């Protein structure tokens, strides 16, 4: 792979950021793969942040909204994904706290209802255990899962 110059890296990353939200970690990883010197990486990153091409908080807000609404992830899974992207803890906490429990409930209820229909179990206890494991795997917290299962149990 041909090594990029500092200006080429800046122009490429600015074009990428103009198309979609990206975090600082993703941009730094790209520059590392291009074998750009660390001083040049720092300068390019500072320029991208200064010109607001890269904003971790804006990225986190878009990421959380997308993962909850479209991928139907719960809080824990989204939080872990943001941690892997090296988003600061205060940004993660602030953005995730903006999502109220009602939104998680409105996503998890239909998921559990659909899963309940397709899950085979010999008893209600076994069925609930399978549903809980499914929801935990999706990243939902136990209190949200419990609220959904309690409502489902009343309907049955």
């Amino acid at each position: 792979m041909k090594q990029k110059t500092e200006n080429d890296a800046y122009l490429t990353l600015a074009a990428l950021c103009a198309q979609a939200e990206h975090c600082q970690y993703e941009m730094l990883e790209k520059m590392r793969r291009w074998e750009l010197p660390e001083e040049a990486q720092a300068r390019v990153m500072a320029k991208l942040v200064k010109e607001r091409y890269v904003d971790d908080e804006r990225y986190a807000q878009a990421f959380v909204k997308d993962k909850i609404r479209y991928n139907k992830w719960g809080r824990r899974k989204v939080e872990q994904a943001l941690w892997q992207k090296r988003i600061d803890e205060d940004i993660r906490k602030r953005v995730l706290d903006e999502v109220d429990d009602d939104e998680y409930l409105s996503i998890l209820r239909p998921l559990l209802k659909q899963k309940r229909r397709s899950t085979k179990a010999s008893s209600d206890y076994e069925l609930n255990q399978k549903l809980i494991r499914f929801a935990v795997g999706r990243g939902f917290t136990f209190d949200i899962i419990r609220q959904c299962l309690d409502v489902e149990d009343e309907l049955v």
Side-chain angles (χ1 to χ4, degrees), residues 135-146:
V136 166
R138 283 290 187 123
F140 290 94
T141 56
F142 196 73
D143 58 324
I144 299 290
I145 297 168
R146 191 78 250 161

Side-chain angles (χ1 to χ4, degrees), residues 72-127:
K72 301 189 183 337
W73 285 6
R75 180 186 176 94
R76 296 290 303 141
K77 193 166 184 171
V78 173
E79 190 173 19
Q80 186 177 24
L82 288 173
W83 177 81
Q84 287 176 327
K85 300 266 188 190
R86 310 283 198 284
I87 303 295
D88 286 337
E89 185 176 352
D90 60 323
I91 293 174
R92 286 194 317 254
K93 184 169 174 21
R94 190 170 47 242
V95 169
L96 285 167
D97 286 346
E98 289 174 6
V99 181
D100 62 333
D101 286 352
D102 291 338
E103 189 163 354
Y104 290 118
L105 288 169
S106 69
I107 286 169
L108 185 57
R109 278 192 182 115
L111 273 176
L112 287 177
K113 190 175 184 180
Q114 182 179 5
K115 187 70 174 172
R116 183 182 289 267
R117 282 193 297 252
S118 66
T119 303
K120 308 247 184 297
S122 59
S123 67
D124 285 345
Y125 177 77
E126 185 183 347
L127 178 63

Side-chain angles (χ1 to χ4, degrees), residues 32-65:
R32 272 189 216 114
R33 274 186 262 134
W34 295 335
E35 298 173 359
L36 208 61
E38 285 195 28
E39 314 81 51
Q41 287 180 28
R43 286 191 298 271
V44 169
M45 200 68 238
K47 193 171 180 182
L48 288 170
V49 169
K50 180 178 170 255
E51 294 178 1
R52 297 198 33 89
Y53 280 111
V54 175
D55 182 346
D56 279 353
E57 186 160 358
R58 190 177 63 212
Y59 171 81
Q61 288 170 338
F63 185 86
V64 166
K65 187 176 83 174

Side-chain angles (χ1 to χ4, degrees), residues 125-139:
Y125 177 77
E126 185 183 347
L127 178 63
N128 278 342
Q129 292 305 308
K130 288 181 177 185
L131 292 174
I132 288 170
R133 243 179 281 129
F134 167 76
V136 166
R138 283 290 187 123

